[in-house]
Amino acid sequence: MKKALALLLAALMVVSLMAGCGSKNEPAPAAPATPATPSTPSTPATPATPATPAAPATPAAPATPAVEYDDTIVIGEVTDALYMSPWEALGSQDTKYQNNIYEHLVTPAYDGSKMEGQLAESWEISEDGLTYTFKLRPNLKFSDGSDVTEEDWQWSFYRARDYQGSNALTRSEMIDTVSMPEKDTLVITLKYACPPFISYCSSYNLVVASKKHFEEVGEEKFIESPMGTGPYFMTEWKRNEHMYFEANPYYWNEGEPKTKYLKYNIVSDENTRYLQLQGGTIDLAPMIPNTMMAQVEADPNLHGETFPSTQIRTMVLNTTIAPFNDPKLREALRYATDKQEIANIVALGYAKPVASSIPSAHGDFFNKNIKDPEVDYEKAKQMLIDAGYTPGQIGGVINVSATQAIYTDIATVLKSQWAKAGFELTIEPLESATLSEKTHSLSHQACIYQWTDGGTDPASLLGFICDYTESSHWYTGLDDKDLEAMYWDSQKEINYEKRVELINKMQEIIYAEHCIIPIFQADYTYGVSDKIQGLNVSNGNRVNTYQLLKTK
């Protein structure tokens, strides 16, 4: 009896020990063991396997610090503006600055494929092509907070049409009336139907400016303190040194511009500009020479960006004075102009030679059948001899921009090519203002310019080439009355196929005169700090400064 009682107590102790060794994850006590039959000893239970300890929790990832942005972006430009008034502007040299201040009813998409609304949300064109009705963005204001009124629109557009100092009269002379029949609706009527007019509405002279401000400061002062609806307003302009802008607090597009201050430093020497980009003094170097792109890409803090272009570098020959007043001499020199070699040496693969005076982006309007002759230096030399010249004893002077190396580089290659035909070319660099004055007065012999066609229609460029009153036929002095009449016909031709035919024919005539010689069309190349975000450039070289950001 005592032995049986001892066995029973031992069995209860084993069960008690087994319950004490259980996992904390299994807290329920084991059921009491059934008492063993006194005559049969109980089999000891297998001890429970200890539970695997739970893996320690993964620490939460530290929060990503918010990106901090600088309040100032500095752009290094080679040339200063000549005019900050839209009616005197001479093209991209001025508009790259003016685009921060003034805006248009419409603007080309960045790829140039269509027109998009800028100050206008939408527009309609009447069936007869004489009335354009624009639905404006609501409550437009100038950078001083004053409302944009009907009077401002009328004054701005009539000045573009009537001001004789304008360099773009062909884009506005068809305007008849401007009115606002109701709030936020602008109606423009034309004297005649003009198919390219909607493209002209993106031209640099057809912007809205503050009439009241103009009258308060005067015409001369307005050039230095303009006022528009754009994302920035100008705070300081020290000619040939810098231009400062501040964000327009009344800008119609909320959240833009993204950076408060915009500064342009004028750095005429390309090597100095690159060193400033490398050292962080400037953040962006537009149109950096193709020859420097490899240096930019090799720098760990910089990168290069390229954008499709409509920009054509063009040689312009003055037909009113010797030696280029002789069409036979001009034609001979075509055979001594190797455009592919110039593109290879100067643009290093970023350009392609072109024959037509308008860019291929204009689709049907571009005459793809115009081809340059095969380069033949001996033929060029013989043509000069046949025209009465002695090779080695004939020459001329070509003027180029002193501040943009690409023009000197083009002229240098051209000089070596023409020398092979017996023509001695002298290169004379000039400052921008002097070059402009010389070409406007037709006192140059030859020069190299560029045209950037930012619209969706080639009419602006053709007007500059063909209308004598606008630019003396692009400073050639040609004064071809038949060509000019054809241009005006194309302005008014509403049948698309007939207009295409006219514009293609005009390109053939321009080519046959041998006085406007397109050389190459090159991509836009930009040197960019890695701190800059959001850069975009249109095919007309319009930079989206209002969307740029710079990290600290």
Side-chain angles (χ1 to χ4, degrees), residues 128-164:
D128 60 8
L130 294 174
T131 304
Y132 287 67
T133 303
F134 297 89
K135 182 64 176 175
L136 301 176
R137 299 188 185 279
N139 304 315
L140 290 172
K141 295 182 181 296
F142 292 113
S143 57
D144 67 347
S146 61
D147 292 333
V148 178
T149 67
E150 178 182 49
E151 191 176 12
D152 293 310
W153 285 106
Q154 290 171 335
W155 173 76
S156 298
F157 277 49
Y158 293 159
R159 184 173 173 83
R161 179 193 66 187
D162 302 332
Y163 177 58
Q164 290 307 302

Side-chain angles (χ1 to χ4, degrees), residues 227-403:
M227 184 179 293
T229 61
Y232 289 93
F233 63 93
M234 189 168 71
T235 58
E236 182 176 320
W237 182 15
K238 193 168 184 180
R239 285 186 180 272
N240 298 313
E241 289 191 19
H242 62 249
M243 194 180 295
Y244 294 165
F245 294 86
E246 185 174 334
N248 175 3
Y250 303 99
Y251 191 50
W252 56 266
N253 199 8
E254 188 176 354
E256 293 179 350
K258 295 183 180 295
T259 299
K260 185 172 184 179
Y261 300 106
L262 191 63
K263 296 184 177 182
Y264 289 87
N265 288 347
I266 311 304
V267 190
S268 58
D269 181 76
E270 292 286 10
N271 291 313
T272 302
R273 187 167 69 134
Y274 170 72
L275 291 174
Q276 289 190 8
L277 179 65
Q278 188 179 47
T281 303
I282 63 175
D283 306 305
L284 189 64
M287 304 300 292
I288 198 162
N290 307 129
T291 52
M292 289 184 171
M293 284 293 278
Q295 293 172 259
V296 169
E297 293 288 1
D299 191 294
N301 300 312
L302 306 175
H303 65 278
E305 294 194 35
T306 60
F307 301 90
S309 158
T310 59
Q311 187 180 73
I312 297 178
R313 312 282 177 173
T314 300
M315 179 166 52
V316 176
L317 306 178
N318 186 350
T319 65
T320 67
I321 58 176
F324 300 111
N325 59 336
D326 186 346
K328 293 182 178 179
L329 179 141
R330 299 197 302 266
E331 183 181 9
L333 291 177
R334 271 201 185 274
Y335 286 88
T337 303
D338 189 338
K339 298 178 183 180
Q340 186 65 66
E341 182 182 51
I342 296 172
N344 291 344
I345 293 174
V346 175
L348 301 180
Y350 291 96
K352 59 182 180 181
V354 291
S356 175
S357 49
I358 73 170
S360 58
H362 286 306
D364 292 340
F365 295 119
F366 169 72
N367 191 328
K368 60 181 180 294
N369 296 318
I370 296 176
K371 306 291 183 185
D372 282 315
E374 186 175 344
V375 177
D376 189 333
Y377 297 111
E378 289 304 315
K379 182 173 182 175
K381 184 182 292 186
Q382 186 59 52
M383 289 175 71
L384 288 174
I385 293 171
D386 293 344
Y389 299 100
T390 302
Q393 296 182 24
I394 180 66
V397 176
I398 190 165
N399 295 123
V400 296
S401 169
T403 56

Side-chain angles (χ1 to χ4, degrees), residues 17 34 55 71 82 93 112 119 151 180 242 264 300 317 344 401 474 502 507 514:
L17 287 170
T34 303
D71 67 356
L82 290 175
Q93 180 173 347
L119 293 181
E151 191 176 12
M180 289 185 70
H242 62 249
Y264 289 87
L317 306 178
N344 291 344
S401 169
W474 201 352
L502 273 171
Q507 292 168 73
H514 309 299

